[in-house]
Amino acid sequence: MDPTLPPALPPTHNSKTIPRFVELHPANPTPRVFQNHTAAAGNHPNHTPIMSTIAPLTLFRSFLREAKKVDNYNFREYAIRRVKIGFQINRSLTGIDRDVALKEGQENLDILKRQVVLGQLYPSATSVMEAA
């Protein structure tokens, strides 16, 4: 055993204990105990897990990215407007409704991707709005 290493701590962790982190703030010497992020997510009523916000944002950005690739000006502007409105309408969904909306959104994104490919195969004339 190496004398420079601290002695090993006895194993006190079991599968039901939650790791905690203690923070000391210079202005307030009373220690504040924090649970790890995954454990705190289920305990706090106003906490939204990170994954629940990442999936819709990723889908939204993907929709906008694909909508900007549409060849025709009118269809492109309609797609961008429709994406924004659709996400605003479904902003307050939770639980199973949210999961269903995300699945439908992914299917609609696939449709938009196919439409972009078709638009690139058969390009339209440049619109007056784009010529400026």
Side-chain angles (χ1 to χ4, degrees):
M1 182 162 182
D2 189 6
T4 59
L5 295 176
L9 295 174
T12 58
H13 178 77
N14 63 29
S15 62
K16 294 184 181 182
T17 61
I18 300 171
R20 294 173 181 257
F21 302 98
V22 177
E23 176 184 309
L24 292 176
H25 193 273
N28 184 6
T30 308
R32 296 187 302 173
V33 179
F34 294 99
Q35 295 178 339
N36 67 359
H37 181 72
T38 56
N43 296 337
H44 196 277
N46 295 329
H47 181 75
T48 304
I50 290 177
M51 287 307 292
S52 69
T53 57
I54 290 176
L57 287 176
T58 303
L59 187 63
F60 179 72
R61 289 181 184 138
S62 298
F63 258 115
L64 287 181
R65 198 175 307 119
E66 286 300 317
K68 290 177 183 177
K69 294 179 185 177
V70 174
D71 185 45
N72 188 306
Y73 173 81
N74 290 324
F75 291 138
R76 180 175 53 246
E77 292 302 313
Y78 171 76
I80 291 170
R81 185 174 58 248
R82 184 64 188 103
V83 166
K84 290 178 181 179
I85 290 171
F87 273 84
Q88 286 175 355
I89 290 170
N90 293 326
R91 176 183 288 178
S92 62
L93 293 180
T94 58
I96 295 173
D97 293 335
R98 182 182 161 278
D99 294 338
V100 169
L102 285 174
K103 186 176 180 182
E104 288 175 3
Q106 187 61 46
E107 293 169 0
N108 288 335
L109 178 61
D110 294 338
I111 292 171
L112 182 60
K113 286 180 180 181
R114 290 192 296 271
Q115 195 64 37
V116 167
V117 170
L118 283 175
Q120 290 171 349
L121 290 174
Y122 305 102
S124 62
T126 305
S127 172
V128 175
M129 298 298 290
E130 295 175 311

